[in-house]
Amino acid sequence: IGSERKQLVLNGWKHMGGYDLDTGKELWKLEGSGDIPVPRPVIAHELIFLTSAHGGPARIYAISVDAEGELTLKPDGKNLVWSDRRFGAYMQSPFVYGDELYVCRDNGVITCWDAKTGTQHYRHRLSAGVGYSSSGVAADDKLYYASEEGDVHVVKAGKEYELLHINEMGETCMATPAITGGLLLIRTRSQLVAIGSVN
């Protein structure tokens, strides 16, 4: 990612921080996050993206990979580059695809930001009345989101929302889809489905 720093990033109970991998020294910390953070940190464009939505506001943070010291919840453009206090996620990990950061919440609402600046491009609900426990994934300029009811939504990647298709798997789907070797792997309650092109 360009930085010389090797660090472990933790999204912990009401505390987020970066630690030097060689010495364990705390490099930076941010107090006031949620009390049960589940989503994993994501690193792209020299930024660390962290989110949490339990036990407080549903925040998302974009922290510089070179951040130092005790950060405040108010962005300073240097250490905490940008943040949003309303559209973070409880279960789902964010991901960056191209220049955009995407988060899909439990209620199926996707928010898309410019990853570098925090400018929000759109917010859109995939389907009403269903839950989303798994994280989204992306490949081939498409985003894939699996609902708990087993519908896999295919959304065009980019600054404008466009639903391309909904694939019905026919049973509960709680796991995040995986992409490898040209295959999209979807784990439902009783099946592992591999989707790919046939040559």
Side-chain angles (χ1 to χ4, degrees):
I1 57 176
S3 177
E4 297 296 322
R5 186 183 265 182
K6 295 178 183 176
Q7 66 178 300
L8 170 67
V9 178
L10 297 178
N11 190 2
W13 187 77
K14 296 186 180 284
H15 173 100
M16 299 173 177
Y19 300 85
D20 185 282
L21 276 178
D22 294 325
T23 67
K25 176 186 174 184
E26 183 178 79
L27 300 171
W28 59 268
K29 69 178 179 178
L30 177 63
E31 302 280 357
S33 58
D35 59 359
I36 308 176
V38 177
R40 66 177 173 81
V42 174
I43 300 175
H45 300 299
E46 302 286 329
L47 296 170
I48 303 163
F49 298 97
L50 294 153
T51 186
S52 180
H54 190 279
R59 293 187 171 106
I60 188 158
Y61 306 95
I63 298 167
S64 169
V65 294
D66 294 317
E68 295 181 349
E70 188 164 348
L71 282 55
T72 66
L73 295 176
K74 183 177 179 181
D76 60 11
K78 180 182 176 184
N79 289 310
L80 179 55
V81 177
W82 65 267
S83 70
D84 189 299
R85 62 176 285 117
R86 297 181 57 201
F87 304 123
Y90 167 47
M91 291 288 293
Q92 305 76 10
S93 295
F95 67 91
V96 175
Y97 189 70
D99 290 331
E100 282 73 52
L101 171 73
Y102 300 93
V103 172
C104 181
R105 300 184 67 185
D106 297 12
N107 60 3
V109 174
I110 300 174
T111 307
C112 171
W113 292 271
D114 181 297
K116 298 175 187 175
T117 68
T119 300
Q120 188 181 120
H121 295 311
Y122 68 77
R123 287 183 65 236
H124 200 282
R125 184 181 298 275
L126 293 171
S127 297
V130 298
Y132 289 77
S133 293
S134 67
S135 303
V137 294
D140 195 28
D141 293 323
K142 298 175 184 71
L143 318 176
Y144 299 90
Y145 295 96
S147 77
E148 293 176 5
E149 293 184 353
D151 296 330
V152 179
H153 295 71
V154 184
V155 177
K156 184 178 179 180
K159 297 178 182 179
E160 296 182 7
Y161 178 84
E162 181 182 346
L163 179 65
L164 299 175
H165 196 72
I166 299 176
N167 299 294
E168 298 178 4
M169 305 309 295
E171 60 182 4
T172 304
C173 184
M174 303 290 284
T176 298
I179 298 173
T180 183
L183 295 175
L184 174 65
L185 302 171
I186 300 169
R187 179 74 171 98
T188 66
R189 181 181 295 274
S190 65
Q191 304 175 73
L192 176 61
V193 180
I195 302 170
S197 59
V198 179
N199 294 336

